[in-house]
Structures are given as structure tokens and as C-alpha cells.
Amino acid sequence: MEPILFVIFGAIAVGGAIMVVTRRHPMASALYLILTLFAVAALFVLRQAHFLAAIQVIVYAGAVVVLFIFVIMLINVPVHKLPVERVTGLRFLGVLAAGLLILESAVLTRRFAMPRASAVDAGSVQAVGKALFTDYLLAFEITSVLLLAAVIGAIALAKKKI
Amino acid sequence: MMEPAAYLLLSGILFGIGVVGVVARKNALIILMSVEIMLNGVNVAFIAVGSHLGDVTGSVFAFMVMTVAAAEAAVGLAILIAIYRLKETIDITELNVLKW
């Protein structure tokens, strides 16, 4: 069952990602980004990472993309003033390099082999929560400082007059 | 459960699509979204290998990546708003004040 679902959700994720980078209007891109994020969340469920799947939907689709849509509506660039994309030599080279990157990952993962561990519950809320509040407590607490800095920085940058 | 090779390939494809978006687009909003796609591709690799090895570290690292992604989106969009207020454009090729 897993291979079929993997192909379905993987195709949705890749198709959504391609639509994100090819749409002209950022609002269409943001909506396709939601599609990609949900497909990736489904892939997390396939790998038994239930906690991360929930966080993916709540934090990414629920907060980050909403932030994007807020900003798109806030600055509201008229369609005729959207940047016109032209194919230049440098840009073509960049796309070529990205294609090579994909090809390289295909070659590298073809012979990927790793010993399989005994089946343990590694992605459940219980397991991740226990790890976060014991072994990784310091990193988890520093994360809160990072988020605080991001909140203060975002307000300071976007405010008209401080 | 499947071998993680297919997931790693998918992760590479998502990352590559994100790179295309970052290098080929002019719209700063879409560039920020492409960065999110790249970070998601990395998360797929973390989760795939983590669950294959039965190790919770993969999930913890993906969690940290998501936190950084949220912080990056917040600050990046705030910078974008500040730039738009100043220059009335989100075209990154027109933002070349620091370019020599």
C-alpha cells in the first residue's frame, strides 16, 4: 500500500512545487504551496511521523502560508506591475545547474542502502515529545529565543515608525 | 515499510525545484516560497531516514528546520514589506543599490 500512496502524494507534491515556481501571480503560487505542503504532510504520515505531519499542517499550511497570503494582499501589487520574467543566459544556467542537482540526487540515491533498525515507534507524539524535553531540551529552549527574536525583528522591520 | 531511496530522490527533486524558483524568478514573494519548498524537501529526507533507522532524531531535526523556516518567513516578509514601502517594487533585479 505504501508505494502506491507514495507515488500519488509524491506526484502531487512535485506537481504543486512546479506550479509554485511557474505561476505569474504570487497568490496562485501560495495556493499551490498549500497543496505541496499537504502532500508532504501525507508523506510524513506514510513514514509514521504523525507529530511532524500535524505540525506541518498547523504551522506551515496554517501559519506560514497565511502569513504569505497576508503579505500578498497587504502590498497588493497590480498585475501589470508584476515583474516580467525573461529567459536570460545566466538564469538559464541557473536552471541547468538545478537540473544537474536533481540528476545528481537521482544517481546518488540509486544505490542507497542502510541497515534497517528494529521497528520502533520513532515519529509518534509521545516519542518526539519525550526526546524534545529530555535529550534536546537546550536546543528546544533556544528555539524559543529564535522565535522571539524573529517576532521582534519582524515587527521592527515592518513598522513605519519605531 | 519502503526503502528510503525513493523518498531521498523525492527530497532531491523538491529541493531542485526550489533552487529553480530561487535562481530563475524575479518576484521576491515567489523566491521566499521557493525557499520554503527547499526546506520541505530537506524535511522529507530527515523523516524518511529517521523512520527507517527507528531514530527519533530525524523528527527532532525536522522540527528544528520548521522552526527556522517559520522565523525566516516572518523576517523575510517583513523585509519585503519595508522594501515595498521604500521602492514600490518587489522585483529583485531593481533592488541593486548595494550592487557595485
Side-chain angles (χ1 to χ4, degrees):
Chain A
M1 194 62 193
E2 197 194 350
I4 305 166
L5 289 175
F6 169 77
V7 170
I8 294 172
F9 288 116
I12 294 174
V14 171
I18 291 172
M19 294 301 264
V20 171
V21 299
T22 52
R23 290 308 90 188
R24 181 165 152 73
H25 200 284
M27 187 59 95
S29 288
L31 296 178
Y32 277 112
L33 185 62
I34 296 179
L35 181 70
T36 302
L37 296 176
F38 265 91
V40 171
L43 291 173
F44 287 174
V45 173
L46 282 183
R47 294 306 280 191
Q48 314 294 331
H50 299 121
F51 176 67
L52 259 292
I55 293 292
Q56 170 95 358
V57 172
I58 295 169
V59 172
Y60 257 122
V64 173
V65 179
V66 169
L67 194 65
F68 270 106
I69 291 175
F70 264 28
V71 170
I72 292 167
M73 288 179 163
L74 184 67
I75 65 180
N76 196 17
V77 184
V79 178
H80 63 267
K81 279 177 82 179
L82 284 173
V84 182
E85 316 272 351
R86 273 189 215 90
V87 181
T88 61
L90 208 58
R91 205 166 278 171
F92 182 72
L93 277 181
V95 175
L96 213 65
L100 277 178
L101 192 72
I102 294 174
L103 205 68
E104 190 181 350
S105 70
V107 173
L108 282 177
T109 55
R110 206 163 42 97
R111 295 171 180 279
F112 182 84
M114 211 180 240
R116 179 187 294 277
S118 54
V120 271
D121 190 21
S124 68
V125 180
Q126 193 185 5
V128 178
K130 203 176 163 204
L132 272 180
F133 284 101
T134 54
D135 294 347
Y136 299 96
L137 183 62
L138 182 65
F140 182 72
E141 295 295 344
I142 291 173
T143 296
S144 62
V145 179
L146 170 76
L147 286 175
L148 181 67
V151 168
I152 295 171
I155 294 172
L157 282 166
K159 214 166 151 62
K160 273 183 188 140
K161 234 188 283 171
I162 299 167
Chain B
M1 215 189 278
M2 273 168 71
E3 289 291 313
Y7 284 92
L8 293 180
L9 177 60
L10 178 76
S11 158
I13 292 172
L14 283 178
F15 192 89
I17 294 171
V19 172
V20 171
V22 171
V23 297
R25 292 303 302 257
K26 277 184 181 174
N27 195 325
L29 276 163
I30 291 176
I31 289 177
L32 280 176
M33 287 184 218
S34 302
V35 173
E36 300 292 329
I37 292 177
M38 286 163 74
L39 290 166
N40 251 278
V42 174
N43 271 353
V44 171
F46 272 132
I47 295 291
V49 177
S51 77
H52 182 73
L53 296 177
D55 195 339
V56 78
T57 315
S59 286
V60 173
F61 259 83
F63 177 81
M64 298 295 168
V65 170
M66 274 185 195
T67 320
V68 173
E72 171 251 74
V75 175
L77 289 170
I79 292 174
L80 206 64
I81 292 176
I83 288 174
Y84 188 75
R85 223 174 252 144
L86 202 67
K87 307 268 273 184
E88 295 273 307
T89 180
I90 50 168
D91 185 342
I92 52 146
T93 54
E94 285 177 31
L95 307 171
N96 50 9
V97 188
L98 282 177
K99 207 168 169 184
W100 188 48

